[in-house]
Amino acid sequence: MMKKLGLLPKIILGIILGVIIGSTSPEWIIKGFATFSGIFSNFLNFIIPLIIIGFIAPGIGELGKGAGKLLGLTTAIAYGSTIVAGLAAYFVSTNFFPHILEVGTLTSAFKNPEEALTKAYFTIEIPPIMGVMSALVLAFTLGLGAASLKGDSLQNVMVDLRTIVEKVISSVIVPLLPVHIMCVFTNLTYAGQVQLIISVFFKVFIIIIALHILYLFVQYFIAGQLGRKSYISLMKNMLPVYMTAIGTQSSAATIPVTLRQVKKNRVSDQIADFVVPLCATIHLSGSTITLVSCSMAVMMLNGMPTTFGIMFPFILMLGITMVAAPGVPGGAVMSAIGLLQLMLGFSPSLTSLMIALYIAQDSFGTACNVTGDGAIAIIVDRIKGNGKAHQPVEQMEPIA
């Protein structure tokens, strides 16, 4: 029965069980859950550099072997859209969140929220093979190097590494995530923190989904103006894409529907066939909105600074790191874990909380991602010739 459930229902079930167990169990049982959670968190920290190298390096290598100017144009527009989405999330969060949550609530209720949690019986140290920044630099070096080489030997090795990491994520991390989340919420409930967190983030989710929809309106308004088309009719044609993505939670699985609807919006076949699979890999505006919003909410609750100087570099790096998002539910937050820890100072428990919060709305973030791909296709089509016949371009395989 559990195998038939999707990841989101399992996460929700894990949260419910965690709240029940944390409310009714003695400390010695909570310590057992904390032990599993600590070991899993250490394994997650170990795998983060491998995720970065395994996905970013071959991703850059594939981009570098693409179709020249069209690739550069599409990548620039997609990256720009992702950064604008992150900035929009920052400014909305800065202006709205202080009105729906009390900054520093967890810190005032618990002198140190981390210390309030029950400690594990023991820990198993699994140090990562390198730091996050070292992994990022190595990934860029290998990716750019593979793109410049004539042969494919290095690229093939990196693709194989990506396959291995994908297997680890899909076969180990994703199946154990609901158990990990249950353990985290068991501990949070026992410490008396979970009621506050759940009540706050219900309001945060409403703002995030509203921002997703508003950003899609902006994207299609711009695309409609450039393409001289009605943005309302353009968005209406993309509704099947939005609904399909909510069901699949996967940009890659939605590509066939996205292609069909983009072509209904009178985008030339050649441009649609190139832009849609590519943007399924590199354009994650909805995921960026969610990650920025949720991280700021977590930071505000813990009294951590959320200044523009802190968040803007994070948003810039997030736009690049989203290329590494593996094609599994919650893949974007997996790729962002390193940045959350390195640039925002998230602890293991805050990272686990972010994973749960992100996955709880992953469907809506994915829907925003892929629906926005249609707007980028219209813009690229307009810039490259306004729907006139184009020369065929090399297609690229999506990685997310």
Side-chain angles (χ1 to χ4, degrees):
M1 179 66 180
M2 285 294 290
K3 290 183 178 180
K4 295 181 180 179
L5 289 176
L7 180 59
L8 177 56
K10 290 179 181 178
I11 291 290
I12 294 174
L13 181 60
I15 292 173
I16 294 172
L17 289 175
V19 172
I20 294 173
I21 296 171
S23 303
T24 59
S25 300
E27 185 178 9
W28 65 270
I29 291 181
I30 308 299
K31 279 181 172 287
F33 284 107
T35 302
F36 174 86
S37 179
I39 294 172
F40 185 86
S41 293
N42 288 341
F43 176 73
L44 205 55
N45 288 333
F46 167 79
I47 206 71
I48 286 170
L50 298 180
I51 291 176
I52 292 172
I53 297 171
F55 285 96
I56 291 183
I60 293 175
E62 289 169 346
L63 292 179
K65 297 176 184 295
K69 293 181 179 179
L70 182 60
L71 170 70
L73 173 65
T74 306
T75 302
I77 295 174
Y79 181 73
S81 173
T82 301
I83 298 307
V84 171
L87 290 173
Y90 169 78
F91 288 115
V92 169
S93 301
T94 301
N95 287 282
F96 282 91
F97 286 1
H99 299 292
I100 64 172
L101 57 87
E102 295 181 22
V103 176
T105 303
L106 283 178
T107 306
S108 60
F110 310 91
K111 292 182 179 180
N112 186 335
E114 290 296 314
E115 291 296 326
L117 298 177
T118 302
K119 302 302 179 184
Y121 283 114
F122 61 90
T123 59
I124 298 177
E125 296 297 330
I126 315 175
I129 57 175
M130 66 181 71
V132 171
M133 188 55 66
S134 296
L136 282 169
V137 173
L138 180 59
F140 277 98
T141 302
L142 292 175
L144 293 172
S148 64
L149 295 176
K150 293 182 179 179
D152 292 326
S153 299
L154 178 58
Q155 181 67 18
N156 290 336
V157 170
M158 295 191 301
V159 169
D160 287 342
L161 174 61
R162 181 171 69 195
T163 302
I164 293 172
V165 176
E166 280 180 336
K167 289 287 186 182
V168 173
I169 291 174
S170 61
S171 302
V172 180
I173 294 178
V174 170
L176 288 178
L177 262 181
V179 181
H180 175 56
I181 297 302
M182 181 187 69
C183 294
V184 170
F185 273 80
T186 297
N187 209 336
L188 288 172
T189 303
Y190 188 77
Q193 300 178 11
V194 75
Q195 294 87 350
L196 173 64
I197 292 171
I198 291 177
S199 65
V200 166
F201 278 99
F202 178 75
K203 303 171 186 176
V204 170
F205 283 159
I206 294 176
I207 293 178
I208 289 173
I209 294 171
L211 187 53
H212 284 164
I213 296 172
L214 179 61
Y215 192 65
L216 286 174
F217 270 100
V218 172
Q219 286 179 310
Y220 277 93
F221 178 79
I222 295 173
Q225 292 297 306
L226 291 176
R228 300 191 181 107
K229 302 170 184 177
S230 166
Y231 74 96
I232 297 296
S233 64
L234 293 176
M235 292 191 68
K236 191 181 296 184
N237 284 339
M238 296 300 291
L239 274 176
V241 177
Y242 190 89
M243 300 310 296
T244 301
I246 286 178
T248 63
Q249 288 185 266
S250 169
S251 298
T254 314
I255 285 176
V257 180
T258 310
L259 276 172
R260 184 189 66 201
Q261 299 307 119
V262 165
K263 291 176 182 179
K264 279 189 177 182
N265 280 336
R266 299 196 300 277
V267 173
S268 63
D269 288 356
Q270 296 91 341
I271 295 295
D273 291 343
F274 180 83
V275 171
V276 169
L278 176 61
C279 283
T281 298
I282 65 174
H283 181 232
L284 282 81
S285 56
S287 298
T288 302
I289 287 172
T290 303
L291 287 167
V292 173
S293 301
C294 285
S295 62
M296 287 190 65
V298 169
M299 293 167 75
M300 287 181 183
L301 281 177
N302 284 271
M304 301 164 67
T306 56
T307 63
F308 186 77
I310 292 174
M311 297 305 298
F312 185 54
F314 171 71
I315 292 169
L316 293 178
M317 287 301 298
L318 197 59
I320 297 173
T321 308
M322 287 298 93
V323 175
V328 296
V333 72
M334 293 296 177
S335 300
I337 287 175
L339 296 182
L340 290 169
Q341 295 178 345
L342 176 69
M343 303 185 74
L344 301 185
F346 273 39
S347 65
S349 62
L350 292 185
T351 301
S352 301
L353 181 60
M354 271 293 297
I355 293 173
L357 295 172
Y358 179 88
I359 293 176
Q361 66 72 66
D362 190 24
S363 296
F364 296 96
T366 301
C368 181
N369 294 339
V370 296
T371 306
D373 295 347
I376 292 181
I378 294 169
I379 294 171
V380 172
D381 193 50
R382 169 64 177 168
I383 294 174
K384 296 300 290 183
N386 196 24
K388 297 177 183 178
H390 303 292
Q391 294 299 319
V393 293
E394 180 182 342
Q395 296 186 38
M396 298 184 61
E397 293 295 324
I399 60 171

